[in-house]
Amino acid sequence: MKQLKFSQHLCFPIYALSRLITSHYQPLLGELDLTYPQYLVMLLLWEHTSMNVKTLGETLMLDSGTLTPLLKRLEAKKLIKRVRSKEDERVVNIQLTAQGTALQQQAGEIPLRLADSLGITAAEAQELRDAITPLLYRLKPALRG
Amino acid sequence: MKQLKFSQHLCFPIYALSRLITSHYQPLLGELDLTYPQYLVMLLLWEHTSMNVKTLGETLMLDSGTLTPLLKRLEAKKLIKRVRSKEDERVVNIQLTAQGTALQQQAGEIPLRLADSLGITAAEAQELRDAITPLLYRLKPALRG
DNA sequence: TAAAATTAAATTGTGTACAATATATTTCCA
DNA sequence: TGGAAATATATTGTACACAATTTAATTTTA
């Protein structure tokens, strides 16, 4: 069987584009002392006020091995509180602090500044998102093993 | 200014899709004892026989901080050799070993098996690649700072 | 209802990513 | 031509990702 050339592989452009976009976020998020995954968590909390670790993980498609230390860093920065649920002691609820809530103001311009940094228009960004989002949720999760 | 909702952000679908695709590679690549970035390096070497670290880094958009330890792991697995160039002692050439060359046989079925695992057709994969690849190479690299 | 199964987080260990810096070599040019 | 600038790789340190396992709490079910 003929080997596919490197350039014919689907995987690489998505992998590289994801990292490239993250690298454009970095200087903007650096002003808020956030990493990109930390920013995603903050976006969700700004929208929902409180979420538990499991729900965050399902939404971001990240497991507790990634989230637990990330959330501890956000807590160390006093942006969130980690509160074990009274109703179900297995659950940890993540709540915004006043400082975490206040940070939303500084974050408002980031999407526009990001598009500017990337050199794409809002329309192009939407087109790409519309191409990718349905695929993301249609693909089967990988089988372990 | 109204805050964009989480779902309106371009960034997340690409970030999540990239990780989802990698997770589908993992069981297939595990049979070859390769990680996904290691597989990308091997794909390039199978196509070009020998490349130096700089060229690998430009093609994969990875720096020496990522590549040096990754290449040392491939060398420890006896798939490649790292050979300092005689003409320019700054340059390290990466060469396939016989074992590294032989591994290509086992890798031939991976692209089809991946598409099957993802549950997409070759046509869909190509459509997505065609949407993303030009964007990848058009975007400006991020400014450091 | 008590043991088994399930669930939610945390922990451990490996491997990227990448900024920042260091080191060694080569090239440039005053 | 000899020191400054540029180049290629390596190193250090921080922060993800994620598989695998552990721990503690809850639910199921025999």
Side-chain angles (χ1 to χ4, degrees):
Chain A
M1 169 172 304
K2 180 85 175 61
Q3 183 80 15
L4 274 187
K5 286 209 173 144
F6 176 76
S7 57
Q8 296 304 112
H9 282 257
L10 169 61
C11 49
F12 175 69
I14 293 174
Y15 162 73
L17 182 60
S18 174
R19 288 186 294 115
L20 181 60
I21 291 175
T22 301
S23 74
H24 279 264
Y25 270 107
Q26 197 275 325
L28 309 178
L29 295 178
E31 298 174 11
L32 312 187
D33 189 27
L34 290 177
T35 65
Y36 175 65
Q38 288 168 14
Y39 171 65
L40 293 178
V41 168
M42 294 304 290
L43 280 178
L44 284 173
L45 293 174
W46 288 327
E47 193 172 335
H48 296 105
T49 308
S50 174
M51 290 178 85
N52 62 40
V53 176
K54 176 185 164 63
T55 311
L56 278 172
E58 284 171 353
T59 310
L60 298 174
M61 302 181 187
L62 292 170
D63 69 9
S64 68
T66 300
L67 284 174
T68 296
L70 185 158
L71 293 169
K72 284 182 179 175
R73 282 179 212 110
L74 287 178
E75 187 175 44
K77 289 190 258 204
K78 307 206 183 300
L79 298 176
I80 65 163
K81 276 179 296 189
R82 296 159 66 247
V83 186
R84 220 161 253 283
S85 164
K86 288 273 167 50
E87 301 87 60
D88 184 339
E89 297 243 346
R90 292 170 303 182
V91 173
V92 170
N93 288 121
I94 309 300
Q95 298 169 5
L96 285 169
T97 63
Q99 229 180 105
T101 303
L103 194 66
Q104 184 174 14
Q105 300 310 312
Q106 290 181 62
E109 305 240 323
I110 286 184
L112 283 180
R113 290 174 66 197
L114 179 79
D116 186 56
S117 172
L118 289 170
I120 61 176
T121 65
E124 285 175 308
Q126 176 157 359
E127 195 175 320
L128 187 61
R129 186 176 62 243
D130 291 349
I132 289 177
T133 304
L135 183 63
L136 173 63
Y137 294 106
R138 203 199 79 199
L139 293 182
K140 295 174 273 192
L143 300 171
R144 292 241 175 140
Chain B
M1 168 172 303
K2 182 83 175 62
Q3 183 80 14
L4 275 186
K5 286 210 172 144
F6 177 76
S7 58
Q8 297 302 113
H9 281 257
L10 168 61
C11 50
F12 175 69
I14 293 174
Y15 161 74
L17 181 60
S18 173
R19 288 186 294 112
L20 181 60
I21 291 175
T22 301
S23 74
H24 279 264
Y25 269 107
Q26 197 274 326
L28 309 179
L29 295 178
E31 298 174 11
L32 313 187
D33 189 27
L34 290 177
T35 65
Y36 175 64
Q38 289 168 11
Y39 171 66
L40 293 179
V41 169
M42 295 304 289
L43 280 180
L44 284 173
L45 293 174
W46 288 328
E47 193 171 335
H48 296 103
T49 308
S50 175
M51 291 177 86
N52 62 41
V53 175
K54 177 184 162 60
T55 311
L56 278 172
E58 284 171 354
T59 309
L60 297 175
M61 302 181 187
L62 292 171
D63 69 9
S64 68
T66 301
L67 283 174
T68 296
L70 185 158
L71 293 169
K72 285 181 178 175
R73 283 180 209 110
L74 287 179
E75 188 176 43
K77 289 189 256 202
K78 306 206 185 298
L79 298 176
I80 64 164
K81 277 178 297 189
R82 296 159 66 247
V83 186
R84 224 162 247 285
S85 164
K86 287 273 165 52
E87 300 89 60
D88 185 339
E89 297 243 346
R90 291 171 303 183
V91 173
V92 170
N93 289 122
I94 308 300
Q95 298 168 5
L96 285 170
T97 61
Q99 227 179 106
T101 303
L103 195 66
Q104 184 174 13
Q105 301 310 313
Q106 289 181 62
E109 305 240 324
I110 286 184
L112 284 180
R113 291 173 66 196
L114 179 80
D116 186 56
S117 172
L118 289 170
I120 60 175
T121 64
E124 285 175 308
Q126 174 156 1
E127 195 175 322
L128 187 61
R129 186 175 62 242
D130 292 349
I132 289 177
T133 305
L135 184 62
L136 174 63
Y137 294 107
R138 202 198 80 199
L139 293 182
K140 297 173 274 192
L143 299 172
R144 292 238 177 141

